[in-house]
Amino acid sequence: MDLQENIHRIKEMMGIDNTRHTFDIQKLVDNNIIFVTKPGDGQGGIAEPNWDGDCSIITLDNLTKQEVKLNPWRLKAIKHPLPNCIPFVQDRQSEWSDEKYHQVINSIKRAGGDIKDYIMNLQEQTNRIKQMMGINESLFFRRRSDIEKIKELLPVFVNIVFYDYTNFDEFKYQLTLRALEYYLKETHDLFWDELPEQEEIEFVNYLCDIFDDTIKELYKSKIDEKY
C-alpha cells in the first residue's frame, strides 16, 4: 500500500471525507485568505471563547461588501485573531459544511492564489494524522526523513538487494533500509553506525508498510527477469 492509499485508508477509519482537499490552515492564515478569530456572539458582536477551539473561521468570501453589510461584526472579529485555535481548525476542517469548504476555495482564487499551493503534501498529512491518532514513532527519523524522496530511491537498490535477499519479506526490509540509510547519508551526512538502532528498526518497518505495493511491483519485476 503506497503513502497516498495509506492516508486514504486512515482517513476513512477516522471518518474524514476523502473527496476533499486537506488545507494548510496556517498558510491560509499567514496569507490573509482566512482569519481564525474570536467567535461571534450571535448579536452582531464578538465574544470570548467558551472552550478550546471555540472560534470563527472568516474567509475572504465572508468579507465582500455585501457580506459585511449583512454581518458587520466580521470586520471587528478579524482584528481579534486566535492563533492558538489554528491547530484545532487544522484537525477539524473535515467537519466544515460544504459551504465553508467552497468559501475557502473561492477565497484562494479571489486572492489570486493556486489551490495546490495551500494543500498539505503527503508527508505533512501523514505526520498530522499520526499526531491525531497518537502515533509517536521516532522523532529522530521523522524530523530527518522525506518519505516521498526515500520512496524514489527504492529502484536504485533493487538489483543489489534482490541477489542477496530473494525472500520477499527480507527483500522488502533490506530495500527500505538501504534507501533510508542512503537518504540520511546524502541529506544529513549521517552514517548507519550513527543511527539509533531500535528506533531505526521501528521506522523501517513503518516505511515497509507504506511502500508495500511499490516494493511488490519491484520484486515481481526481478522475479519475471529471473524466470
Side-chain angles (χ1 to χ4, degrees), residues 43-106:
Q43 299 178 344
I46 58 175
E48 292 300 318
N50 290 309
W51 59 83
D52 288 344
D54 184 19
C55 62
S56 288
I57 304 165
I58 299 173
T59 70
L60 290 181
D61 257 22
N62 300 138
L63 295 174
T64 63
K65 288 183 179 180
Q66 182 178 0
E67 287 292 319
V68 168
K69 186 176 181 180
L70 294 172
N71 297 282
W73 66 272
R74 290 172 178 165
L75 287 180
K76 183 178 180 181
I78 63 175
K79 297 178 182 177
H80 295 272
L82 291 180
N84 291 341
C85 270
I86 291 175
F88 291 93
V89 177
Q90 181 67 57
D91 292 342
R92 298 177 63 181
Q93 60 182 286
S94 62
E95 300 173 13
W96 290 349
S97 66
D98 287 341
E99 180 181 14
K100 177 60 68 177
Y101 175 75
H102 288 291
Q103 282 177 1
V104 172
I105 290 176
N106 291 338

Side-chain angles (χ1 to χ4, degrees), residues 113-127:
D114 190 326
I115 293 171
K116 72 175 187 298
D117 292 335
Y118 293 93
I119 298 171
M120 296 185 78
N121 63 37
L122 295 180
Q123 181 75 58
E124 292 166 336
Q125 289 190 57
T126 300
N127 290 342

Side-chain angles (χ1 to χ4, degrees), residues 4 11 31 55 57 61 67-68 75 82 86 92-94 109 113 125 134 157 161 166 168 182 185 190 192-193:
Q4 182 65 66
K11 281 183 172 181
N31 289 324
C55 62
I57 304 165
D61 257 22
E67 287 292 319
V68 168
L75 287 180
L82 291 180
I86 291 175
R92 298 177 63 181
Q93 60 182 286
S94 62
K109 294 176 180 177
Q125 289 190 57
F157 299 100
V161 174
T166 54
F168 175 71
Y182 181 84
K185 180 171 71 71
L190 287 169
W192 68 269
D193 56 349

Side-chain angles (χ1 to χ4, degrees), residues 18 33 52 158 211:
N18 273 303
I33 291 172
D52 288 344
V158 167
F211 298 153

Side-chain angles (χ1 to χ4, degrees), residues 158-172 174 219-220 222-223 226-227:
V158 167
N159 288 336
I160 298 172
V161 174
F162 181 77
Y163 291 109
D164 288 334
Y165 302 93
T166 54
N167 173 275
F168 175 71
D169 287 336
E170 292 179 346
F171 172 81
K172 178 167 68 170
Q174 292 296 329
Y219 183 77
K220 184 178 182 300
K222 296 308 296 180
I223 292 291
K226 186 174 181 180
Y227 298 105

Side-chain angles (χ1 to χ4, degrees), residues 3-35:
L3 185 54
Q4 182 65 66
E5 291 170 331
N6 227 5
I7 291 172
H8 184 90
R9 180 174 59 83
I10 293 171
K11 281 183 172 181
E12 285 183 338
M13 292 168 56
M14 297 175 67
I16 297 174
D17 188 349
N18 273 303
T19 64
R20 290 183 174 183
H21 298 305
T22 300
F23 293 112
D24 184 332
I25 300 300
Q26 184 66 63
K27 190 172 183 180
L28 289 169
V29 170
D30 290 344
N31 289 324
N32 296 319
I33 291 172
I34 69 170
F35 303 84

